Amino acid sequence: MSDASSSSQTNALSRFLRTETVGGTALLMAAFVALVWANSPWADAYQHLGEIHVGTDSLSLFGQPLHLRLTLAEWAKDGLLAIFFFVAGLELKRELVVGELSTLRSAALPVICATGGVVVPALIAFAVAHDDPRIASAWAIPIATDIAFALGILSLTGSRLPSGARVFLLGLAVVDDLIAIVVIAVLFSTGLSLLWLGVAVAGCAAYALAQHRRITTPLLYIPLAALVWIAMLQSGVHATIAGVALGLLTRVRRDKGELEAPAERLEHRIQPFSALVCVPIFAFFASGVAINGEVFRALFTDKIALAIIAGLFFGKIIGIFGSSTLAVKLRIAERPEGLFPRDILALSVLGAIGFTVSLLVAELSLGDGADLAKAAVLLTSLVASVIGSLLLLRRGRAHTNT
């Protein structure tokens, strides 16, 4: 890789981390406002806001009706999160092709830890609630780490750790997101329409061809992206998968004479909107859970809530830290330079912060009964944030004194 290309990728990574840090703060504020509003005397107004319908059912394409009259909460879940997943797809493609996951040596530890951080939470969730029929889909709730929230906490409380900590956490979260995306696509695809799925695939193929032909005009890409999203929405596959697919099809290597590759240019332009608008708005509509004495009691008696808490907190820590320890001992992978086992443990606790994707999976798997599951996600994420912050501060002092 040339010095210019390396510098470009470093700048892209720095921009990504800065935006995700600010985005984590915005996400937290949106969730806080939603929680306060949902537990205030004006809670009915909050519920009514999310149920307002926007759009139309009168449009059709290829003789098929388009169901585009959605509630504001559905637009946030199916529309705005598609933009978030598009940025995730861009970042994943960049990391796999030219970034920290582009070589087997550099990718080994984050990939192994991300896999452990998905498998162990799922197994713990199954073990806790194996006799509850809801676990058939709810097991996927505790498998995801929130990249914006985790990077935000790391930036605020772990700034004195070596830079390898950020690279490790980013790689871990990117692979974690990929696994979660596959789970969403497989687990929550219902009533598949082959016609609409074919339209989505054709749209993706046209997008890839345009990238190959070096076409740059947004007059082509915006309609194509809209077509793929609409087709995916109608097909029965969750609409956010459209964002991932287009992100992964975007070119990440610069041509001679280009200042930025298309993926880097799009990420630079769209990521702030995703981190500061799309994700906070989704969090606002997804986090408004009524918290009272009955809910608190249910958090520690309901099997699904217990499965989420145990899976997300203990499962993530055991899965990530345990996988790291095993991989290093077996010499399958190496820790980033300057990081010690206790640093990986602190970062593993940040892995237990499940927010955006966990809340999405809770809605997809439990529907109207998702409020208790969301409360479990929020409580566990809060506890993981506090404990992770304290551990990072302590590890920062240790690195400063060495």
Side-chain angles (χ1 to χ4, degrees), residues 101-228:
L101 303 178
S102 59
T103 66
L104 183 60
R105 185 179 183 84
S106 61
L109 190 64
V111 169
I112 292 170
C113 290
T115 304
V118 168
V119 173
V120 177
L123 292 176
I124 289 179
F126 264 118
V128 172
H130 62 91
D131 55 349
D132 191 314
R134 295 174 294 172
I135 198 62
S137 55
W139 64 267
I141 296 173
I143 69 171
T145 294
D146 190 281
I147 185 172
F149 212 155
L151 287 172
I153 296 294
L154 177 62
S155 177
L156 292 172
T157 61
S159 58
R160 289 183 288 182
L161 266 65
S163 60
R166 294 162 185 77
V167 174
F168 171 78
L169 186 61
L170 177 61
L172 170 72
V174 166
V175 178
D176 186 289
D177 277 351
L178 174 62
I179 297 173
I181 288 162
V182 172
V183 169
I184 290 171
V186 173
L187 203 61
F188 303 110
S189 297
T190 57
L192 284 178
S193 167
L194 295 180
L195 171 63
W196 282 115
L197 194 58
V199 172
V201 170
C204 287
Y207 182 96
L209 179 62
Q211 285 286 297
H212 179 71
R213 294 292 181 87
R214 299 327 193 237
I215 298 173
T216 59
T217 175
L219 296 178
L220 171 64
Y221 287 113
I222 292 176
L224 264 181
L227 173 65
V228 172

Side-chain angles (χ1 to χ4, degrees), residues 19 36 62 77 88 117 121 128 145 152 170 191 250 256 275 297 307 321 331 334 343 350 378 392-393 396 402:
T19 306
V36 171
F62 308 123
K77 179 178 68 177
V128 172
T145 294
L170 177 61
T250 304
K256 187 176 180 180
R297 285 192 296 273
F321 183 67
R331 297 184 179 180
E334 295 180 353
D343 299 321
L350 293 190
L378 295 173
L392 288 171
L393 289 170
T402 55

